[in-house]
Amino acid sequence: MTTLPTTTGATPRPLPSARAPAPLRVRAVLWRLRLLCAAVLLGAAAGVVVHALRPPPPATVPVVTLAHDVPAGTVLAPGDLVVSALPPAAAPVSALSSTSAAEGRSTAVDLPARTPLVATMLVDATLTGPTGTVVVAVRLDDPAVAALLEPGLRLDLVAARHEGGPGETVARRALVRPAPPGADLPDGLLGGGSADTGPPVLVAVTPDEAVRIAETSLSARLVAVVVP
């Protein structure tokens, strides 16, 4: 009987692994990533379409507007002004586009917040008033009252006769105007009096009211009544 030779217990070597060719590996990776690539490409295409279909932003122009309500006679400061972007159709003709064009100027009339400013709404801080008015300087009977009056207030001016009797209203809703910077108003202005009677007050009145004030200035005392 023939006996087969036995092994000594040594472990046989594993067979060497075979690597796939490089092009095949690349194709396999690309195949696995095909869905991700497709999603990215579809997203990019959708973004391009949305951007192409989106309407362009509406055209606007810069316009200077008021940050808050401003009474007549206010000298405008940077905090009073805002540059807003308005559609061209909503911007008034000759609207101011830069705050520098309004700073240091006075409002000719009461203006609400967000009002677009145009040149005709403003006047220089000189002896000027709203359209249709003239500016006169009056001396009031009470110097303390004159010292308290601020630009933008509205006054009724009443002429009180020295000899007594009923007073006469010579101006209604006269607008107190700011004095020009550094101005030294002379004596002998409307309202009479001397330098001892206190500083004169600049007011914007109608031409007819200016005549009545002049006619009563020598024979009456002027009293100011603040009105809304």
Side-chain angles (χ1 to χ4, degrees):
M1 181 173 180
T2 303
T3 303
L4 297 176
T6 58
T7 60
T8 59
T11 304
R13 292 182 179 181
L15 296 175
S17 61
R19 298 188 62 185
L24 183 60
R25 293 198 304 272
V26 171
R27 284 197 299 270
V29 172
L30 292 179
W31 178 256
R32 287 193 293 267
L33 296 178
R34 68 189 187 284
L35 295 179
L36 178 60
C37 293
V40 171
L41 292 175
L42 287 175
V48 171
V49 172
V50 170
H51 179 75
L53 296 178
R54 180 182 302 165
T60 59
V61 293
V63 175
V64 178
T65 59
L66 291 174
H68 50 80
D69 295 348
V70 174
T74 300
V75 179
L76 296 176
D80 302 320
L81 306 170
V82 176
V83 177
S84 302
L86 299 181
V93 178
S94 303
L96 302 181
S97 60
S98 173
T99 57
S100 60
E103 291 178 11
R105 305 189 69 191
S106 299
T107 52
V109 293
D110 296 341
L111 296 173
R114 296 182 294 279
T115 299
L117 292 181
V118 297
T120 55
M121 296 178 179
L122 307 176
V123 294
D124 294 329
T126 57
L127 302 180
T128 57
T131 303
T133 66
V134 295
V135 174
V136 296
V138 298
R139 290 193 182 277
L140 301 179
D141 180 61
D142 189 343
V145 173
L148 295 176
L149 297 179
E150 298 180 350
L153 290 177
R154 294 281 183 173
L155 310 174
D156 282 352
L157 296 177
V158 179
R161 302 291 177 180
H162 293 289
E163 63 275 14
E168 175 190 2
T169 300
V170 294
R172 294 188 182 278
R173 291 185 54 77
L175 176 63
V176 179
R177 302 296 295 129
D184 185 12
L185 298 178
D187 297 333
L189 298 169
L190 297 181
S194 64
D196 295 335
T197 60
V201 178
L202 296 179
V203 291
V205 296
T206 66
D208 291 341
E209 290 172 336
V211 172
R212 289 199 295 270
I213 292 173
E215 290 174 345
T216 59
S217 61
L218 297 178
S219 59
R221 299 173 291 109
L222 284 179
V223 178
V225 180
V226 179
V227 295

